[in-house]
Amino acid sequence: MVSYIVKGRSPAARARLLALEEGEVAAVSAITEAEIRYGLATRPEATALGALMEGFLASIQVLPWNRDEAHAYGRIRAKLEKEGMSLEGMDMMIAAHAVATGAVLVTNDKAFAQVDDLAATVNWAADLQM
């Protein structure tokens, strides 16, 4: 979702972020920041995008990944494997972060629907509840 907002690919997502009311907190997981930084490292020529991402990261709260998140990750991974399902490793960590903090996960990735421990997911790009 960060990419949609920063690159301007979804006016709906950007508008939703800007329309957050007092008390609603927009934050990203440190895992999401790691994914952003990895993407930028693979495209060192994308200096304009790098500057936009740095500005975004400077303007939003980045939540650390700690023990509670590690516990949630273990539970989620074991449960998904038992059910014959899986998520990409980083996606599973992002889901665990949302579960551990009770956060609503804002995503355009339908794979997160496999994680029934999530409080909720929402797709700001489509402005639809998932």
Side-chain angles (χ1 to χ4, degrees):
M1 197 54 57
V2 171
S3 178
Y4 286 118
I5 292 168
V6 172
K7 291 180 180 179
R9 290 179 22 206
S10 174
R14 184 174 285 173
R16 180 64 179 99
L17 176 65
L18 296 173
L20 288 176
E21 297 186 20
E22 188 175 327
E24 289 184 292
V25 178
V28 296
S29 169
I31 306 305
T32 300
E33 180 180 9
E35 287 281 83
I36 291 167
R37 295 200 177 281
Y38 166 72
L40 292 173
T42 64
R43 299 178 58 198
E45 74 285 356
T47 55
L49 177 59
L52 288 171
M53 286 295 185
E54 290 296 340
F56 177 82
L57 290 169
S59 71
I60 198 159
Q61 182 180 6
V62 178
L63 301 175
W65 209 80
N66 296 307
R67 295 186 84 178
D68 290 343
E69 291 76 14
H71 284 280
Y73 172 86
R75 288 190 312 271
I76 292 167
R77 183 172 177 183
K79 183 176 181 181
L80 288 177
E81 284 181 0
K82 184 178 180 181
E83 295 171 355
M85 297 185 288
S86 185
L87 284 175
E88 293 289 326
M90 297 296 261
D91 286 347
M92 200 171 314
M93 293 175 77
I94 291 167
H97 206 162
V99 168
T101 59
V104 172
L105 182 62
V106 179
T107 183
N108 190 41
D109 190 341
K110 292 179 180 15
F112 287 103
Q114 298 178 72
V115 184
D116 56 11
D117 295 344
L118 285 165
T121 60
V122 65
N123 182 351
W124 284 358
D127 205 29
L128 299 172
Q129 292 284 335
M130 291 175 54

